[in-house]
Amino acid sequence: MITDARALQPEFVPGELHHREGEVDALTTSLDAIVDGESGRHSFIFGPSGTGKTVLAQYAVNLLEREAFDVATAYVNCITNSTPTSMLYELTTSAGLAADLRRQGHGPARFVDRIKDADRQVVAILDEVDILTEYRVLASLADIPNLTLLMVCVDEHALFSAFEEPIRSRFSSHRTITLTRYSTVELTSILKGRVRHGLESGVIHDEQIEYIADLAAGDARAAIAILRSAVESIRAGDAEAPISVDLIDASQEDAREDIRRRKIRELDTEKRLLYDIVLENPEISAGDLREKYESRSVNHVADSTRRRYLNRLEEYDLIEGVGRGRGKRYQAL
C-alpha cells in the first residue's frame, strides 16, 4: 500500500515545490552568488504553521547543492537548540565543521571561529529562530563572510520587535519572504503529489483528498497528518482501502495527537520542564509555575525567555493560558 513512507512525513522535501514558485525564485536569487564562491544574501522566511516555510528553505538549499561545488549546509531546529552555544554547536556539526568539538566545554566564540575558518561557503537554516534565548548571536553570524543564513519563524513583527536596535538595523536590508495559508485547491494539489509519490493507486480517491484539504484549512502539516493517520488505520487492520470520509473524520484526533507528540519530542530541557510542570497540575498560576520551574531547573532561563517559551507552548496547543501577568493561569491541553 505504501510505496514511499517519506512522502507521508511533514519534513519530506519533494522534487518540485508547487504553489511557491515566486518564493522559490526569490530565495534561490538570494543564494545565487554562492555558486560563484561568494556569500549569499541573508533571508527571513515568515508565515503561519503549515505553510511550508522549512520545506521552502530546504528545497532552495537542495537546488543550490546541485549547482555549487564545495558548499556546506546545515539545519538547526532552535526549539531543540535555543541557547547560543547549543545552536552554534548544532550548526557547525550539521555543516560537518565540528567533528572534534564537544557541545560542552567550548564557548560560542569557538564555534563562530570554526565557521570563519572553513574553506568553503556555508548555508545554515535556522528554524524557529525567534525562540533563541538571545539574538546577538545572529548579528555575530551575519558578519561572517562565508556564511549565509536562512532564518525561519512565524511572526515577522514579533521577531523584529524583540531585536535590539543594532540587531534590527543589521538585518533591515535583508530579504524577507512571507508565506500565506494554502487554498483548498493548492493543498489538494500538494496532497495528490504526496499520494502519487507515497501510495499505491486506489488507496484514496480525489474526492477524499479534497475533503482532507478542506478540513485542514490551509495547514499542510495538518493535512499530511490526517492522511498518514488514515493510512496507518488501514495498515493496522482497523479499516479498509480506499480511504473513506468516515475514516478521515475518525483520523482527525489521532492526527492532532501525532502532531502534539512530534512537538513534544522537539522540546529541549527547559521547555520540556515547563510543559511537565503544567501537565502535573490541573491548573497552575504563572507565579507558582515560576517558583516550581526555578526550584527544579539546573540552569533556569530569564523571566522574559521563560515567558517566550510558554507562549510557544501555547502556540503549539500544548498548554492554554488564561489571564495576564502573575495572575495568568495555565493548564495542559
Side-chain angles (χ1 to χ4, degrees):
M1 181 175 63
I2 298 176
T3 57
D4 189 341
R6 295 174 301 172
L8 303 183
Q9 301 297 329
E11 61 272 13
F12 174 71
V13 181
E16 294 184 32
L17 199 61
H18 298 295
H19 311 297
R20 295 296 187 221
E21 290 82 1
E23 291 85 355
V24 169
D25 287 344
L27 196 53
T28 54
T29 298
S30 293
L31 302 178
D32 277 348
I34 297 173
V35 177
D36 298 322
E38 301 176 4
S39 60
R41 182 179 178 186
H42 301 309
S43 301
F44 291 92
I45 305 173
F46 299 106
S49 177
T51 52
K53 301 182 296 296
T54 305
V55 170
L56 170 64
Q58 292 174 326
Y59 182 80
V61 168
N62 288 352
L63 292 179
L64 173 67
E65 289 179 318
R66 296 178 194 174
E67 297 185 33
F69 292 105
D70 206 23
V71 59
T73 62
Y75 171 82
V76 182
N77 184 342
C78 297
I79 288 290
T80 310
N81 302 280
S82 298
T83 66
T85 298
S86 178
M87 182 270 282
L88 289 168
Y89 173 81
E90 187 66 21
L91 193 166
T92 51
T93 301
S94 180
L97 303 174
D100 60 324
L101 300 181
R102 294 177 292 110
R103 186 185 296 265
Q104 304 298 329
H106 297 291
R110 182 69 181 275
F111 299 111
V112 169
D113 288 342
R114 186 58 60 92
I115 301 168
K116 289 179 180 178
D117 293 341
D119 58 354
R120 69 193 78 174
Q121 290 293 322
V122 181
V123 180
I125 300 171
L126 303 183
D127 207 353
E128 308 276 11
V129 69
D130 57 316
I131 206 66
L132 288 172
T133 57
E134 89 112 273
Y135 296 127
R136 283 177 294 181
V137 64
L138 295 178
S140 299
L141 290 176
D143 290 333
I144 299 176
N146 60 319
L147 176 65
T148 303
L149 298 174
L150 305 182
M151 294 164 283
V152 179
C153 75
V154 171
D155 192 326
E156 176 181 3
H157 175 74
L159 179 65
F160 277 85
S161 296
F163 282 169
E164 295 177 356
E165 182 54 38
I167 305 172
R168 193 180 302 121
S169 298
R170 181 67 182 81
F171 287 112
S172 61
S173 63
H174 296 299
R175 186 178 297 279
T176 297
I177 297 170
T178 303
L179 305 183
T180 57
R181 292 279 191 196
Y182 292 107
S183 69
T184 299
V185 172
E186 290 172 338
L187 195 46
T188 298
S189 172
I190 290 169
L191 285 177
K192 286 181 178 179
R194 299 271 182 149
V195 167
R196 284 193 300 270
H197 190 96
L199 299 176
E200 292 180 352
S201 177
V203 174
I204 186 170
H205 299 315
D206 288 354
E207 293 82 1
Q208 284 68 45
I209 294 175
E210 185 173 351
Y211 184 69
I212 292 175
D214 188 52
L215 283 178
D219 186 334
R221 181 179 287 109
I224 295 165
I226 294 170
L227 174 62
R228 184 174 60 250
S229 179
V231 170
E232 288 175 346
S233 293
I234 296 174
R235 289 188 67 191
D238 298 328
E240 295 182 356
I243 293 171
S244 66
V245 168
D246 288 343
L247 177 56
I248 292 168
D249 288 338
S251 299
Q252 288 189 74
E253 183 58 37
D254 285 342
R256 284 194 292 269
E257 182 58 28
D258 179 58
I259 292 172
R260 284 170 52 82
R261 286 195 300 266
R262 288 168 180 263
K263 288 177 177 176
I264 291 169
R265 285 199 298 268
E266 290 179 351
L267 302 178
D268 63 12
T269 302
E270 302 305 310
K271 300 179 194 68
R272 182 59 188 262
L273 176 56
L274 286 167
Y275 173 67
D276 286 344
I277 292 171
V278 175
L279 192 64
E280 293 164 2
N281 296 270
E283 188 177 74
I284 186 169
S285 69
D288 289 343
L289 175 56
R290 175 187 177 182
E291 290 179 10
K292 288 179 179 293
Y293 165 70
E294 292 186 351
S295 69
R296 290 166 58 176
S297 172
V298 177
N299 297 298
H300 63 77
V301 298
D303 288 349
S304 59
T305 302
R306 188 189 69 257
R307 287 192 290 269
R308 280 199 290 124
Y309 286 179
L310 289 168
N311 288 340
R312 183 50 53 89
L313 294 177
E314 287 190 74
E315 292 170 7
Y316 274 6
D317 290 329
L318 298 178
I319 66 174
E320 180 181 40
V322 178
R324 300 181 64 182
R326 289 185 62 85
K328 188 171 183 176
R329 307 191 69 81
Y330 294 95
Q331 61 181 13
L333 293 176

